[in-house]
Amino acid sequence: KVKTLISEMIEKLVADAQKEADHKAFCDKEMSETKAKMEDKQGEVDDLNDKVDKFTAKIAKLTEAIATLEQELADIATSQKQADEMRAEQKGAWKTAKADFEGGLEGVQMALQVLRDYYAEKDDAALVQTDATKETGSASGIIGMLEVAESDFAKGLAEARTAEASAQHEFDELKQANKMSK
């Protein structure tokens, strides 16, 4: 009976030892698989951390570029505002100068016409008078000076028109360049 009990106990211990060995083998197998998976996942984590670092650096660069571009846009807006104000002043000056030139030119032309008409009548009457040569010489001098003034007004008006057209062209080019930069 004791032998049987000891035999059963030995069998039980052998079975328990076998179970223990199987369980240990299972645990060792699972542990090695888990370690392999953990190493694989750690590699993925490292790759993802590298990507995060790269994107963080890219974000920093883009943030800096955005700040620079915003400053450039502010500078362009300031420059355009100043150009708009200056162009408005130039346009106002052009309108005033144009009116002055045209008014002066018209006045000189009317004066010339009046003098020519006046002296044309005098020439008809000069056939009767003998002192007409003095008046004719003075008339020629006055008419000549008015013709020079007329020429100067016409030249000034033409130069002012050219300057205005040039200023408008430059303003339009600046405006387009600013628009393209934006």
Side-chain angles (χ1 to χ4, degrees):
K1 202 174 180 186
V2 173
K3 270 187 176 182
T4 350
L5 280 171
I6 292 178
S7 288
E8 287 174 6
M9 202 183 243
I10 291 176
E11 285 176 20
K12 186 178 175 188
L13 286 172
V14 168
D16 284 346
Q18 184 61 38
K19 273 187 187 179
E20 189 75 29
D22 289 344
H23 185 67
K24 181 166 181 3
F26 172 77
C27 285
D28 287 344
K29 177 185 164 205
E30 288 295 316
M31 198 64 149
S32 66
E33 286 177 4
T34 302
K35 281 184 181 177
K37 285 180 182 177
M38 199 164 122
E39 288 173 3
D40 185 42
K41 296 296 180 190
Q42 185 62 43
E44 287 180 25
V45 167
D46 291 342
D47 289 344
L48 291 174
N49 283 336
D50 288 344
K51 286 182 179 180
V52 166
D53 291 343
K54 286 178 186 176
F55 287 128
T56 302
K58 191 172 186 176
I59 287 171
K61 279 183 184 178
L62 291 174
T63 302
E64 185 178 319
I66 288 171
T68 301
L69 291 173
E70 285 176 343
Q71 181 61 43
E72 288 177 6
L73 282 173
D75 292 345
I76 287 171
T78 301
S79 169
Q80 186 63 47
K81 182 180 177 186
Q82 289 172 347
D84 289 344
E85 290 170 357
M86 189 167 61
R87 185 66 195 121
E89 287 176 22
Q90 288 174 344
K91 254 187 180 170
W94 158 242
K95 286 180 181 178
T96 302
K98 180 181 176 189
D100 289 346
F101 281 123
E102 287 176 345
L105 185 60
E106 187 177 316
V108 169
Q109 287 172 342
M110 281 195 293
L112 276 169
Q113 187 60 42
V114 168
L115 285 173
R116 286 182 182 139
D117 290 346
Y118 175 76
Y119 284 108
E121 290 175 11
K122 283 277 192 172
D123 283 343
D124 292 341
L127 296 174
V128 179
Q129 296 178 350
T130 56
D131 284 335
T133 47
K134 287 184 183 178
E135 289 182 19
T136 306
S138 297
S140 298
I142 292 172
I143 291 175
M145 285 189 345
L146 287 175
E147 286 173 343
V148 169
E150 177 186 32
S151 171
D152 289 345
F153 275 116
K155 181 180 177 187
L157 182 60
E159 288 173 353
R161 277 192 179 123
T162 303
E164 170 62 15
S166 175
Q168 183 64 44
H169 179 71
E170 288 174 12
F171 175 75
D172 291 341
E173 284 182 349
L174 175 67
K175 193 172 183 178
Q176 185 64 28
N178 285 344
K179 190 175 182 181
M180 295 302 288
S181 293
K182 282 182 182 179

